[in-house]
Amino acid sequence: MEVLVAFGFKVYFPENHSALIGARKIADDYIPVANAVGYSPEICSYLTSDIGAYLRNETPLKDAYGVSSIPKPDVLAVNTNQCRDLYEWFSFFGRRFDAPVFSIHPPKYLDEVEEHHVDDVAVQYEDMIAQLEKITGERLDEAKLKEAVALSLEATELWKGFLDTAVHVPSPLTFFDGTIHMAPIVVMRGLQVAVDYYKQLKAEMDERLENGIAAVDDERFRIYWEGMPVWGRLRKLSEQFVDLRTCLVASTYCNSWVFDDMTPDDPIRSMALAYTKVFVNRSEPAKERYILDEIKRFKADGIIFHDARTCPANSNASYGMPARMMEDHGIPTLTLDGDLNDLRCWSDEQATTNIEAFIEQLEER
Ligand code: SF4
């Protein structure tokens, strides 16, 4: 992101477009369209929603902003620190628009991120910069890169400050607020507008804290959400948790968009470190340590794991983690089967009943 900003590109994020499609509950119209051209129903439903919408020549951006289609890219840049699907997704658009796809492939499943991992990724950044210089015909302006990294760092610290207000009991925010307010830290890093947004948001949260305003009246239980949001069920779930006087105080999904290893003094290596260190790219024990620290910090009573069918990369219920959390650490857990965008994988009845039973279990403790 920061490199593209420094070159003066306007950056567009297909992931954000897909989340919008999911939240508008129209993904099921598009996923089969992508399936029909060979993209499996089992792969990322962000990918299939977005490609399907493109093939149907439709976008929710039209109603929201009067933008009739996704922009035509000059270049596509992707970091596979989350998963392979991103690369395949961007490659689809690379072929469609006859545009080059540049990719960074950090080493995966890291327990600790070591110097040689950072060296590897930093070299990949240098290569990408050299390619972009050829395409744009301009040398990368180091001052602009430092400025973009400084703005990303400032936005990231403010975003963290916003999320951390939820350590207070009762919490002034919920995970559902986080899913809405995270857009700038995802798509506007490196830009002043993200800093301005989070300054305003943080001030509002401080005011809520000062006035003792809770996100959930009479908060009884505090839960950690692990995994992707169910975009088409944000409202329904948030209302159920309000009724249960339970606050989802933190989540890996929102809380891992904190890139505080970045520093303008060493932009390339610090970006390499920050983007390689992301939660999704780490070993199972590293993820477990992260979640345990967060549970403690946010004083959570339990964890809900969302096992998203088409996003194994961002689902952590498949390798025994919920059982280990319960048996080794005494933390109650619930696993909900579902998906980020494909609502055919989600059952309202089952989720409602399982959540109610989980909260009853917490009441009995
Ligand atoms: S991490 Fe999950 S949601 Fe994101 S691109 Fe990969 S499969 Fe899709």
Side-chain angles (χ1 to χ4, degrees):
M1 176 75 188
E2 292 74 13
V3 170
L4 296 170
V5 169
F7 271 106
F9 284 103
K10 292 259 181 294
V11 185
Y12 166 82
F13 276 75
E15 302 95 306
N16 190 249
H17 190 238
S18 295
L20 191 57
I21 290 172
R24 294 285 299 267
K25 305 185 188 73
I26 49 178
D28 292 356
D29 295 345
Y30 301 134
I31 292 169
V33 182
N35 300 155
V37 296
Y39 287 87
S40 161
E42 300 299 323
I43 63 168
C44 175
S45 62
Y46 267 3
L47 178 161
T48 45
S49 307
D50 188 54
I51 290 180
Y54 167 77
L55 292 172
R56 286 262 295 262
N57 198 22
E58 290 174 7
T59 169
L61 296 173
K62 194 166 183 181
D63 289 345
Y65 306 108
V67 174
S68 59
S69 68
I70 61 163
K72 178 184 179 308
D74 294 310
V75 297
L76 295 111
V78 60
N79 188 325
T80 55
N81 55 2
Q82 302 224 43
C83 68
R84 167 185 173 171
D85 293 45
L86 267 177
Y87 178 76
E88 302 301 343
W89 182 359
F90 280 47
S91 298
F92 169 88
F93 286 113
R95 288 190 294 273
R96 283 279 158 159
F97 290 108
D98 195 20
V101 181
F102 299 120
S103 49
I104 306 274
H105 302 288
K108 300 193 84 63
Y109 315 121
L110 303 177
D111 200 49
E112 298 293 345
V113 179
E114 294 171 15
E115 281 298 298
H116 62 100
H117 301 131
V118 178
D119 292 343
D120 171 355
V121 180
V123 168
Q124 296 186 48
Y125 267 105
E126 301 280 7
D127 282 352
M128 188 172 84
I129 289 168
Q131 302 282 349
L132 289 170
E133 285 178 339
K134 270 193 213 150
I135 285 184
T136 58
E138 283 174 21
R139 297 277 299 166
L140 174 68
D141 182 333
E142 297 258 341
K144 284 190 180 158
L145 181 61
K146 286 184 178 197
E147 188 192 341
V149 168
L151 288 169
S152 278
L153 178 64
E154 197 177 348
T156 228
E157 283 168 346
L158 287 160
W159 169 240
K160 184 172 189 310
F162 161 72
L163 294 169
D164 282 357
T165 57
V167 301
H168 291 268
V169 181
S171 167
L173 63 83
T174 73
F175 161 63
F176 302 103
D177 299 314
T179 60
I180 303 305
H181 289 298
M182 71 189 293
I185 200 63
V186 179
V187 305
M188 294 171 184
R189 291 192 311 284
L191 301 173
Q192 183 65 42
V193 64
V195 173
D196 295 344
Y197 183 88
Y198 288 122
K199 273 188 183 158
Q200 210 176 326
L201 184 63
K202 178 69 173 45
E204 191 182 320
M205 298 314 290
D206 289 342
E207 204 181 304
R208 284 176 75 91
L209 282 179
E210 231 174 85
N211 296 320
I213 300 172
V216 172
D217 286 342
D218 300 322
E219 175 191 290
R220 287 188 307 162
F221 299 112
R222 299 165 62 84
I223 304 291
Y224 185 89
W225 180 274
E226 189 351 88
M228 300 288 293
V230 185
W231 286 108
R233 288 295 180 270
L234 292 184
R235 174 176 288 275
K236 189 171 172 48
L237 284 169
S238 68
E239 287 175 351
Q240 185 182 6
F241 284 107
V242 165
D243 289 346
L244 293 166
R245 292 198 279 132
T246 296
C247 185
L248 302 194
V249 287
S251 67
T252 315
Y253 187 65
C254 294
N255 292 48
S256 56
W257 286 87
V258 171
F259 305 107
D260 46 8
D261 289 294
M262 280 197 209
T263 161
D265 299 336
D266 191 1
I268 292 179
R269 285 189 70 79
S270 69
M271 282 187 301
L273 171 63
Y275 291 129
T276 302
K277 218 173 145 184
V278 293
F279 176 90
V280 192
N281 198 40
R282 307 297 293 280
S283 70
E284 191 85 351
K287 288 178 177 176
E288 213 166 298
R289 290 194 298 273
Y290 175 87
I291 293 173
L292 284 169
D293 284 349
E294 295 292 85
I295 297 287
K296 213 164 149 190
R297 220 159 62 78
F298 287 93
K299 305 171 200 78
D301 301 298
I303 309 173
I304 294 182
F305 285 85
H306 172 208
D307 198 8
R309 172 77 171 268
T310 70
C311 177
N314 241 329
S315 298
N316 289 293
S318 303
Y319 299 98
M321 198 189 294
R324 287 196 297 279
M325 286 291 176
M326 278 193 282
E327 283 155 25
D328 301 348
H329 305 286
I331 301 169
T333 69
L334 167 69
T335 300
L336 294 176
D337 293 325
D339 195 56
L340 44 146
N341 268 18
D342 191 341
L343 292 176
R344 294 170 301 181
C345 306
W346 174 261
S347 156
D348 284 321
E349 293 72 25
Q350 225 171 64
T352 304
T353 312
N354 288 344
I355 291 167
E356 275 170 9
F358 183 56
I359 300 302
E360 273 170 29
Q361 189 192 327
L362 295 181
E363 280 165 356
E364 283 161 16
R365 276 168 71 89

